[in-house]
Amino acid sequence: MDPASDQADYLRRAGEALARKDTSSALTLLDQADAIAPSHGGALNRALALRLNGDFQGALAQIDRALAIQPYDFVALLSKAALLEKVGRKRSSVPVYRNALKIAPPRERCPPGLIAQIDYAADLVRQDGEALRDHMRRAVESLRDTVDSATLDRFDEGLDIYAGLKVAPKQEPILLNYPRLPAIPFYDRAMFPWLGELEAATPMIQSELASLLETSFDEFAPYIAYPPEAPVNQWGELNHSRKWTSLFLWRDGAQQADVCARCPGTTALLDSLPMARQGSFAPTAVFSALEPHTHIPPHTGSANIRLLCHLPLILPGPARFRVGNTTRDWEIGQAWVFDDTIEHEAWNDADALRVILIFDVWNPFLAEGEKTLITAMMQAQRQYMMQP
């Protein structure tokens, strides 16, 4: 007879015995299957039989046998973590649950029972992370007043990352990921000495914006406008929607003469600032309008060689903005500069329209000559892609 067929038959009958809770017959059949060749399925079934018999240590050993054959077995990892809890090793179960969650199948493909196990694992991992965070915070409490507030803010984010509660922000540009530029969600104001001048001009810019909104709001176009054949991904709700609209002063390096003529003060101010200038790539400067109770979903920008500046102009109520792990509230008269290649999202929680001015500036970690080199490189790439 064919040994492989015999083994498959023993494993099948062992599974039927386990379904009847007949662990004695199942273990005998599994011994016969193992005598032909050890197998992943045999180890899993033996673990189940031993678990049903109350031998949790023995079941753990068999799960380890199964994982030695197939290390990325999601169900086996969940089973191992649960068995570690059974034998009183809850702390040891957490990294196993965490590893299982990393390879969990999509929820829509999971039966309800498995979803419940996934949710339990996620809750346990989160609770352990919070306990570790609190433990570490207590340990460093006496040292916190030895550093300034900006350093402490960074440290607290690092502590949450170390505890497994957050993920370190990373740059994910759509177009260009230029090397050796730091992933900083919000940049230090001291690196942009012109921010004070920009903020002082807020009333003037608000006045020119008010005129545009009164006379030309229909010129504000949907910010997201994918063609019919393109996948919209997270942009389904906002695609071709007036919930998020924009009016450009500069677009992909081209000044929009008609709009700029109607807000000459804003245009002159922007022209005096060190916007990123890259021919047909940059700068971009735009009034961005978000309707009440609208959420801009998480996304990333095009290139880490440029940063974005936000200046809030109309804030009828609470409005939030997240970059990486840091969430801030906009405040009139306070601008910020951030790296838009780090995942970010925005909310207008108010009952009326929110408008901000957005424009791009060079990443301050680039040398002047490097900016010229990068621009020439990007233009050459575009020329190459346009060739037949």
Side-chain angles (χ1 to χ4, degrees), residues 23-110:
T23 57
S24 178
S25 296
L27 288 169
T28 298
L29 289 161
L30 290 170
D31 286 340
Q32 292 171 309
D34 277 354
I36 297 172
S39 68
H40 174 261
L44 286 179
N45 279 339
R46 189 178 294 275
L48 176 57
L50 294 173
R51 182 169 182 169
L52 290 172
N53 285 347
D55 182 0
F56 301 126
Q57 293 287 2
L60 258 176
Q62 293 304 312
I63 288 290
D64 282 338
R65 276 186 58 206
L67 288 169
I69 299 170
Q70 291 188 22
Y72 294 99
D73 185 324
F74 170 65
V75 174
L77 283 170
L78 276 184
S79 299
K80 177 175 181 175
L83 284 166
L84 286 168
E85 283 194 89
K86 282 281 189 183
V87 299
R89 297 170 59 189
K90 187 173 183 179
R91 182 63 52 76
S92 298
S93 74
V94 172
V96 182
Y97 275 129
R98 186 179 293 114
N99 287 336
L101 291 171
K102 290 176 182 177
I103 59 171
R107 291 178 72 88
E108 60 270 19
R109 287 171 39 198
C110 297

Coordinates of all heavy atoms in Angstrom, one line a residue, residues 23-110:
T23 N -10.6 11.0 22.4 CA -9.2 11.3 22.3 C -8.3 10.1 22.3 O -7.2 10.1 21.7 CB -8.8 12.2 23.5 OG1 -9.1 11.6 24.7 CG2 -9.5 13.5 23.4
S24 N -8.7 9.0 23.0 CA -7.9 7.8 23.0 C -7.7 7.2 21.6 O -6.6 6.9 21.2 CB -8.6 6.7 23.9 OG -7.8 5.5 24.0
S25 N -8.8 7.0 20.9 CA -8.7 6.5 19.5 C -7.9 7.5 18.7 O -7.1 7.0 17.8 CB -10.1 6.3 18.9 OG -10.8 5.3 19.7
A26 N -8.1 8.8 18.8 CA -7.4 9.8 18.0 C -5.9 9.7 18.3 O -5.2 9.7 17.3 CB -7.9 11.2 18.4
L27 N -5.5 9.5 19.5 CA -4.1 9.5 19.8 C -3.4 8.2 19.2 O -2.3 8.2 18.7 CB -3.8 9.6 21.3 CG -4.0 10.9 21.9 CD1 -4.1 10.9 23.4 CD2 -3.0 11.9 21.4
T28 N -4.2 7.1 19.2 CA -3.7 5.8 18.7 C -3.5 6.0 17.1 O -2.5 5.6 16.6 CB -4.7 4.7 18.9 OG1 -4.8 4.5 20.4 CG2 -4.2 3.4 18.3
L29 N -4.5 6.6 16.5 CA -4.4 6.8 15.0 C -3.3 7.8 14.7 O -2.6 7.6 13.7 CB -5.7 7.3 14.5 CG -6.9 6.3 14.5 CD1 -8.2 7.0 14.4 CD2 -6.7 5.3 13.3
L30 N -3.1 8.8 15.5 CA -2.0 9.7 15.3 C -0.6 9.1 15.5 O 0.3 9.4 14.8 CB -2.1 10.9 16.2 CG -3.3 11.9 15.9 CD1 -3.6 12.9 17.0 CD2 -3.1 12.6 14.5
D31 N -0.5 8.1 16.4 CA 0.7 7.4 16.6 C 1.0 6.6 15.3 O 2.2 6.5 14.8 CB 0.6 6.4 17.8 CG 0.7 7.1 19.1 OD1 1.2 8.2 19.2 OD2 0.2 6.5 20.1
Q32 N 0.0 6.0 14.7 CA 0.2 5.2 13.5 C 0.6 6.2 12.3 O 1.4 5.8 11.5 CB -1.1 4.5 13.1 CG -1.4 3.4 14.1 CD -2.8 2.8 13.9 OE1 -3.8 3.5 13.8 NE2 -2.8 1.4 13.8
A33 N 0.0 7.4 12.3 CA 0.3 8.3 11.2 C 1.8 8.8 11.4 O 2.5 8.9 10.4 CB -0.6 9.5 11.2
D34 N 2.2 9.1 12.6 CA 3.5 9.6 12.9 C 4.6 8.5 12.6 O 5.7 8.8 12.3 CB 3.7 10.0 14.4 CG 3.2 11.5 14.5 OD1 2.8 12.1 13.5 OD2 3.1 11.9 15.7
A35 N 4.2 7.2 12.8 CA 5.1 6.2 12.5 C 5.5 6.2 11.0 O 6.6 5.7 10.7 CB 4.5 4.8 12.9
I36 N 4.6 6.7 10.2 CA 5.0 6.8 8.8 C 5.8 8.0 8.5 O 6.9 7.9 7.9 CB 3.7 6.8 7.9 CG1 2.9 5.5 8.1 CG2 4.0 7.1 6.4 CD1 1.5 5.5 7.5
A37 N 5.4 9.2 9.1 CA 6.1 10.4 9.0 C 5.5 11.5 9.8 O 4.2 11.6 9.8 CB 6.3 10.9 7.5
P38 N 6.2 12.3 10.6 CA 5.7 13.4 11.3 C 5.1 14.4 10.3 O 5.6 14.6 9.2 CB 6.8 14.0 12.1 CG 7.9 12.9 12.1 CD 7.7 12.1 10.8
S39 N 4.0 15.0 10.7 CA 3.3 16.0 9.9 C 2.8 17.2 10.7 O 2.5 17.1 11.9 CB 2.1 15.3 9.1 OG 1.1 15.0 10.0
H40 N 2.6 18.2 10.0 CA 2.0 19.4 10.6 C 0.6 19.2 11.1 O 0.3 19.5 12.3 CB 2.0 20.6 9.5 CG 1.3 21.8 10.0 ND1 0.0 22.1 9.6 CD2 1.7 22.9 10.7 CE1 -0.3 23.3 10.2 NE2 0.7 23.8 10.8
G41 N -0.2 18.6 10.3 CA -1.6 18.3 10.7 C -1.6 17.3 11.8 O -2.5 17.4 12.7
G42 N -0.8 16.3 11.8 CA -0.7 15.4 12.9 C -0.4 16.0 14.2 O -0.9 15.8 15.3
A43 N 0.6 17.0 14.2 CA 1.0 17.7 15.4 C -0.2 18.5 15.9 O -0.4 18.6 17.2 CB 2.2 18.5 15.2
L44 N -0.9 19.2 15.0 CA -2.0 20.0 15.5 C -3.1 19.2 16.1 O -3.7 19.5 17.1 CB -2.6 20.8 14.3 CG -1.7 22.0 13.8 CD1 -2.4 22.6 12.6 CD2 -1.5 23.0 14.9
N45 N -3.4 18.0 15.5 CA -4.5 17.2 16.0 C -4.0 16.6 17.3 O -4.8 16.4 18.3 CB -4.8 16.1 15.0 CG -5.8 16.5 13.9 OD1 -6.5 17.5 14.1 ND2 -5.8 15.8 12.8
R46 N -2.7 16.2 17.5 CA -2.3 15.7 18.8 C -2.4 16.8 19.8 O -2.7 16.5 21.0 CB -0.8 15.2 18.6 CG -0.3 14.4 19.8 CD 1.1 13.9 19.6 NE 1.1 12.9 18.5 CZ 0.9 11.6 18.7 NH1 0.6 11.2 19.9 NH2 0.9 10.8 17.7
A47 N -2.1 18.0 19.5 CA -2.2 19.1 20.4 C -3.6 19.2 20.9 O -3.9 19.4 22.1 CB -1.7 20.4 19.8
L48 N -4.6 19.1 20.0 CA -6.0 19.2 20.3 C -6.4 18.1 21.2 O -7.1 18.3 22.2 CB -6.8 19.3 19.1 CG -8.4 19.3 19.3 CD1 -8.8 20.5 20.1 CD2 -9.1 19.3 17.9
A49 N -6.0 16.9 20.9 CA -6.3 15.7 21.8 C -5.7 15.9 23.2 O -6.5 15.7 24.2 CB -5.8 14.5 21.1
L50 N -4.5 16.3 23.3 CA -3.9 16.5 24.6 C -4.6 17.6 25.4 O -4.8 17.6 26.6 CB -2.4 16.8 24.5 CG -1.6 15.6 23.9 CD1 -0.1 16.1 23.7 CD2 -1.6 14.4 24.9
R51 N -5.0 18.7 24.6 CA -5.7 19.8 25.3 C -7.0 19.3 25.8 O -7.4 19.7 26.9 CB -5.9 20.9 24.3 CG -6.6 22.1 24.9 CD -6.5 23.3 24.0 NE -7.1 24.5 24.6 CZ -7.0 25.7 24.1 NH1 -6.3 26.0 23.0 NH2 -7.6 26.7 24.7
L52 N -7.8 18.5 25.0 CA -9.0 18.0 25.5 C -8.8 17.1 26.7 O -9.7 17.0 27.6 CB -9.7 17.2 24.4 CG -10.3 18.0 23.2 CD1 -10.7 17.1 22.1 CD2 -11.4 18.9 23.7
N53 N -7.7 16.4 26.8 CA -7.4 15.6 28.0 C -6.9 16.4 29.2 O -6.6 15.8 30.2 CB -6.3 14.5 27.6 CG -6.9 13.4 26.8 OD1 -8.1 13.3 26.7 ND2 -6.0 12.6 26.2
G54 N -6.7 17.7 29.0 CA -6.2 18.6 30.1 C -4.7 18.6 30.2 O -4.2 19.2 31.1
D55 N -4.0 18.0 29.2 CA -2.5 18.1 29.2 C -2.1 19.3 28.4 O -1.7 19.2 27.3 CB -2.0 16.8 28.6 CG -0.4 16.7 28.7 OD1 0.2 17.7 29.2 OD2 0.1 15.7 28.2
F56 N -2.1 20.5 29.1 CA -1.8 21.7 28.3 C -0.3 21.8 28.0 O 0.1 22.3 26.9 CB -2.2 22.9 29.1 CG -3.7 22.9 29.4 CD1 -4.2 23.0 30.7 CD2 -4.7 22.7 28.4 CE1 -5.5 23.0 31.0 CE2 -6.0 22.7 28.7 CZ -6.5 22.8 30.0
Q57 N 0.6 21.3 28.9 CA 2.0 21.4 28.6 C 2.3 20.5 27.4 O 3.1 20.8 26.5 CB 2.8 20.9 29.8 CG 2.7 21.9 31.0 CD 3.5 23.2 30.7 OE1 4.1 23.4 29.7 NE2 3.5 24.1 31.7
G58 N 1.7 19.3 27.4 CA 1.9 18.4 26.2 C 1.4 19.0 24.9 O 2.0 18.9 23.9
A59 N 0.2 19.7 25.0 CA -0.4 20.3 23.9 C 0.5 21.4 23.4 O 0.7 21.6 22.1 CB -1.8 20.9 24.2
L60 N 1.2 22.2 24.3 CA 2.1 23.2 23.9 C 3.3 22.7 23.1 O 3.7 23.2 22.1 CB 2.6 23.9 25.1 CG 2.0 25.3 25.5 CD1 2.6 25.8 26.8 CD2 2.3 26.3 24.4
A61 N 3.8 21.5 23.6 CA 4.9 20.9 22.9 C 4.5 20.5 21.4 O 5.3 20.7 20.5 CB 5.4 19.7 23.6
Q62 N 3.3 20.0 21.3 CA 2.9 19.6 19.9 C 2.6 20.8 19.0 O 2.9 20.8 17.8 CB 1.6 18.8 20.0 CG 1.8 17.4 20.7 CD 2.9 16.6 20.0 OE1 2.9 16.5 18.8 NE2 3.8 16.1 20.8
I63 N 2.1 21.9 19.6 CA 1.9 23.2 18.8 C 3.3 23.6 18.3 O 3.5 24.1 17.2 CB 1.2 24.3 19.6 CG1 -0.2 23.9 19.9 CG2 1.4 25.6 19.0 CD1 -1.1 24.0 18.6
D64 N 4.3 23.5 19.2 CA 5.7 23.9 18.8 C 6.2 23.1 17.6 O 6.9 23.5 16.7 CB 6.6 23.9 20.0 CG 6.5 25.1 20.9 OD1 5.9 26.2 20.4 OD2 6.8 25.1 22.0
R65 N 5.8 21.8 17.7 CA 6.2 20.9 16.6 C 5.6 21.3 15.3 O 6.2 21.4 14.2 CB 5.7 19.4 16.9 CG 6.6 18.6 17.8 CD 6.1 17.2 17.8 NE 6.0 16.6 16.5 CZ 5.1 15.6 16.2 NH1 4.3 15.1 17.1 NH2 5.1 15.1 15.0
A66 N 4.3 21.7 15.4 CA 3.5 22.1 14.2 C 4.1 23.4 13.6 O 4.3 23.6 12.4 CB 2.1 22.3 14.5
L67 N 4.5 24.4 14.5 CA 5.1 25.6 14.1 C 6.5 25.5 13.6 O 6.9 26.3 12.7 CB 5.1 26.6 15.3 CG 3.7 27.2 15.6 CD1 3.8 27.9 17.0 CD2 3.2 28.1 14.5
A68 N 7.2 24.4 14.0 CA 8.5 24.2 13.4 C 8.4 23.8 12.0 O 9.3 24.0 11.2 CB 9.2 23.1 14.2
I69 N 7.2 23.2 11.6 CA 7.0 22.7 10.2 C 6.4 23.9 9.4 O 6.9 24.2 8.3 CB 6.1 21.5 10.2 CG1 6.7 20.3 10.9 CG2 5.8 21.1 8.7 CD1 5.8 19.2 11.1
Q70 N 5.5 24.6 10.0 CA 4.9 25.8 9.3 C 4.9 27.0 10.3 O 3.9 27.2 11.0 CB 3.5 25.5 8.9 CG 3.4 24.4 7.7 CD 2.0 24.3 7.2 OE1 1.1 25.2 7.3 NE2 1.7 23.2 6.5
P71 N 5.9 27.8 10.3 CA 6.0 28.8 11.3 C 5.0 29.9 11.2 O 4.7 30.6 12.2 CB 7.4 29.4 11.1 CG 8.2 28.3 10.3 CD 7.1 27.6 9.5
Y72 N 4.4 30.1 10.0 CA 3.4 31.2 9.8 C 2.0 30.7 9.8 O 1.1 31.1 9.0 CB 3.7 31.9 8.5 CG 5.1 32.7 8.6 CD1 6.2 32.1 8.0 CD2 5.1 33.9 9.2 CE1 7.4 32.8 8.1 CE2 6.3 34.6 9.3 CZ 7.5 34.0 8.7 OH 8.7 34.7 8.8
D73 N 1.7 29.7 10.6 CA 0.4 29.1 10.8 C -0.4 30.0 11.8 O -0.1 30.0 13.0 CB 0.4 27.7 11.2 CG -0.9 27.0 11.3 OD1 -1.9 27.7 11.6 OD2 -1.0 25.8 11.0
F74 N -1.3 30.8 11.3 CA -2.0 31.8 12.1 C -2.8 31.1 13.2 O -2.7 31.5 14.4 CB -3.0 32.6 11.2 CG -3.9 33.4 12.0 CD1 -3.5 34.5 12.8 CD2 -5.3 33.2 11.9 CE1 -4.4 35.3 13.5 CE2 -6.2 34.0 12.6 CZ -5.7 35.0 13.4
V75 N -3.5 30.0 12.9 CA -4.3 29.3 13.9 C -3.4 28.7 15.0 O -3.7 28.7 16.2 CB -5.3 28.3 13.3 CG1 -6.0 27.5 14.3 CG2 -6.3 29.0 12.4
A76 N -2.3 28.1 14.5 CA -1.4 27.5 15.5 C -0.8 28.5 16.4 O -0.7 28.3 17.6 CB -0.3 26.8 14.7
L77 N -0.5 29.7 15.9 CA 0.0 30.8 16.8 C -1.1 31.2 17.8 O -0.8 31.4 19.0 CB 0.4 32.0 16.0 CG 1.8 31.8 15.3 CD1 2.0 33.0 14.3 CD2 2.9 31.8 16.3
L78 N -2.3 31.3 17.4 CA -3.4 31.7 18.3 C -3.5 30.6 19.4 O -3.7 30.9 20.6 CB -4.7 31.8 17.6 CG -5.0 33.1 16.9 CD1 -6.4 33.1 16.3 CD2 -5.0 34.3 17.9
S79 N -3.4 29.3 18.9 CA -3.6 28.2 19.9 C -2.4 28.2 20.9 O -2.6 28.0 22.1 CB -3.6 26.9 19.1 OG -4.7 26.8 18.2
K80 N -1.2 28.5 20.4 CA -0.1 28.5 21.3 C -0.3 29.6 22.4 O 0.0 29.4 23.6 CB 1.2 28.7 20.6 CG 2.4 28.8 21.5 CD 3.8 28.9 20.7 CE 4.9 29.0 21.7 NZ 6.2 29.0 21.0
A81 N -0.7 30.8 21.9 CA -0.9 31.9 22.9 C -1.9 31.5 23.9 O -1.8 31.8 25.1 CB -1.3 33.1 22.1
A82 N -3.0 30.9 23.5 CA -4.1 30.5 24.4 C -3.6 29.5 25.4 O -4.0 29.5 26.6 CB -5.3 30.0 23.6
L83 N -2.8 28.5 24.9 CA -2.3 27.5 25.8 C -1.3 28.1 26.8 O -1.3 27.7 28.0 CB -1.5 26.4 25.0 CG -2.5 25.4 24.3 CD1 -1.7 24.6 23.3 CD2 -3.1 24.5 25.3
L84 N -0.5 29.1 26.4 CA 0.4 29.8 27.4 C -0.4 30.4 28.5 O 0.0 30.4 29.6 CB 1.2 30.8 26.6 CG 2.4 30.2 25.8 CD1 3.0 31.3 24.9 CD2 3.5 29.6 26.7
E85 N -1.6 31.0 28.1 CA -2.4 31.6 29.1 C -2.9 30.5 30.1 O -3.0 30.7 31.3 CB -3.6 32.3 28.5 CG -3.3 33.6 27.9 CD -4.6 34.4 27.6 OE1 -5.1 35.1 28.5 OE2 -5.1 34.3 26.5
K86 N -3.3 29.3 29.5 CA -3.8 28.2 30.3 C -2.9 27.8 31.4 O -3.3 27.3 32.5 CB -4.2 27.1 29.4 CG -5.5 27.2 28.6 CD -6.7 26.9 29.5 CE -8.0 26.8 28.7 NZ -9.2 26.6 29.6
V87 N -1.6 27.8 31.0 CA -0.6 27.3 32.0 C 0.0 28.4 32.8 O 1.0 28.2 33.5 CB 0.5 26.5 31.2 CG1 0.0 25.3 30.5 CG2 1.3 27.4 30.3
G88 N -0.7 29.5 32.9 CA -0.3 30.6 33.7 C 0.8 31.5 33.2 O 1.5 32.2 34.0
R89 N 1.1 31.5 31.9 CA 2.2 32.3 31.4 C 1.6 33.4 30.5 O 1.9 33.5 29.3 CB 3.1 31.4 30.6 CG 3.8 30.4 31.4 CD 4.6 29.4 30.6 NE 5.6 30.0 29.7 CZ 6.2 29.3 28.8 NH1 6.0 28.0 28.6 NH2 7.1 30.0 28.0
K90 N 0.7 34.2 31.1 CA 0.0 35.2 30.3 C 0.9 36.2 29.7 O 0.7 36.6 28.5 CB -1.0 36.0 31.2 CG -1.9 36.9 30.5 CD -3.0 37.5 31.4 CE -3.9 38.4 30.7 NZ -5.0 38.9 31.6
R91 N 1.9 36.7 30.4 CA 2.9 37.6 29.9 C 3.6 37.1 28.6 O 3.8 37.8 27.6 CB 3.9 38.0 30.9 CG 4.9 39.1 30.5 CD 4.3 40.4 30.2 NE 3.4 41.0 31.2 CZ 3.7 41.5 32.3 NH1 5.0 41.6 32.7 NH2 2.8 42.0 33.1
S92 N 3.9 35.8 28.7 CA 4.6 35.1 27.5 C 3.7 35.0 26.3 O 4.1 34.9 25.2 CB 5.1 33.7 27.9 OG 6.1 33.8 29.0
S93 N 2.3 35.0 26.6 CA 1.4 34.8 25.5 C 1.3 36.1 24.6 O 0.9 36.0 23.5 CB 0.0 34.4 26.0 OG -0.6 35.6 26.6
V94 N 1.6 37.2 25.2 CA 1.4 38.5 24.5 C 2.2 38.6 23.2 O 1.6 38.9 22.1 CB 1.7 39.7 25.4 CG1 1.6 41.0 24.6 CG2 0.6 39.7 26.5
P95 N 3.5 38.3 23.2 CA 4.2 38.4 21.9 C 3.8 37.4 20.9 O 3.8 37.6 19.7 CB 5.7 38.2 22.3 CG 5.7 37.6 23.7 CD 4.4 38.1 24.3
V96 N 3.3 36.2 21.4 CA 2.8 35.2 20.4 C 1.5 35.7 19.8 O 1.2 35.6 18.6 CB 2.5 33.9 21.2 CG1 2.0 32.8 20.2 CG2 3.8 33.4 21.8
Y97 N 0.6 36.3 20.7 CA -0.6 36.9 20.1 C -0.3 38.0 19.1 O -0.9 38.2 18.1 CB -1.5 37.5 21.2 CG -2.4 36.5 21.9 CD1 -2.4 36.4 23.3 CD2 -3.3 35.7 21.2 CE1 -3.3 35.5 23.9 CE2 -4.2 34.8 21.8 CZ -4.2 34.7 23.2 OH -5.0 33.8 23.8
R98 N 0.7 38.8 19.5 CA 1.1 40.0 18.6 C 1.6 39.4 17.3 O 1.2 40.0 16.2 CB 2.2 40.8 19.3 CG 2.6 42.1 18.5 CD 3.6 42.9 19.2 NE 3.2 43.4 20.5 CZ 3.6 43.1 21.7 NH1 4.6 42.2 21.8 NH2 3.1 43.7 22.8
N99 N 2.4 38.4 17.3 CA 2.9 37.8 16.0 C 1.7 37.2 15.2 O 1.7 37.3 14.0 CB 3.9 36.7 16.3 CG 5.2 37.3 16.7 OD1 5.5 38.5 16.4 ND2 6.0 36.5 17.5
A100 N 0.7 36.6 15.9 CA -0.4 36.1 15.2 C -1.2 37.2 14.5 O -1.6 37.1 13.4 CB -1.3 35.3 16.1
L101 N -1.4 38.3 15.2 CA -2.2 39.4 14.6 C -1.5 40.0 13.4 O -2.2 40.5 12.5 CB -2.3 40.5 15.7 CG -3.3 40.2 16.9 CD1 -3.2 41.2 17.9 CD2 -4.7 40.0 16.4
K102 N -0.2 39.9 13.3 CA 0.5 40.4 12.2 C 0.2 39.7 10.9 O 0.3 40.2 9.8 CB 2.0 40.4 12.4 CG 2.6 41.4 13.4 CD 4.0 41.2 13.6 CE 4.6 42.1 14.7 NZ 6.0 41.9 15.0
I103 N -0.2 38.4 11.0 CA -0.5 37.6 9.8 C -2.0 37.2 9.8 O -2.4 36.3 9.1 CB 0.4 36.4 9.8 CG1 0.2 35.5 11.0 CG2 1.8 36.7 9.6 CD1 0.9 34.1 10.9
A104 N -2.8 37.9 10.6 CA -4.3 37.6 10.6 C -4.9 37.8 9.2 O -4.6 38.8 8.5 CB -5.0 38.4 11.6
P105 N -5.8 36.9 8.8 CA -6.5 37.1 7.5 C -7.5 38.2 7.6 O -7.8 38.7 8.7 CB -7.2 35.7 7.3 CG -7.4 35.2 8.7 CD -6.2 35.6 9.5
P106 N -7.9 38.8 6.5 CA -8.9 39.9 6.5 C -10.2 39.4 7.3 O -10.6 38.3 7.2 CB -9.2 40.1 5.0 CG -8.0 39.6 4.3 CD -7.5 38.5 5.1
R107 N -10.8 40.3 8.0 CA -11.9 40.0 8.8 C -13.1 39.4 8.0 O -13.8 38.5 8.5 CB -12.4 41.2 9.6 CG -11.4 41.7 10.7 CD -12.0 42.9 11.4 NE -13.1 42.7 12.2 CZ -13.0 42.3 13.5 NH1 -11.8 42.1 14.1 NH2 -14.1 42.1 14.2
E108 N -13.2 39.9 6.8 CA -14.3 39.4 5.9 C -14.2 38.0 5.6 O -15.1 37.3 5.1 CB -14.5 40.3 4.7 CG -13.3 40.3 3.8 CD -12.3 41.5 4.1 OE1 -12.4 42.0 5.2 OE2 -11.5 41.8 3.2
R109 N -13.0 37.4 5.7 CA -12.7 36.0 5.4 C -12.8 35.1 6.6 O -12.5 33.9 6.5 CB -11.4 35.9 4.7 CG -11.4 36.4 3.2 CD -10.1 36.4 2.6 NE -9.2 35.3 2.9 CZ -7.9 35.3 2.8 NH1 -7.3 36.4 2.3 NH2 -7.2 34.3 3.1
C110 N -13.0 35.7 7.8 CA -13.0 34.9 9.0 C -14.4 34.6 9.5 O -15.3 35.4 9.5 CB -12.3 35.7 10.1 SG -10.6 36.1 9.8

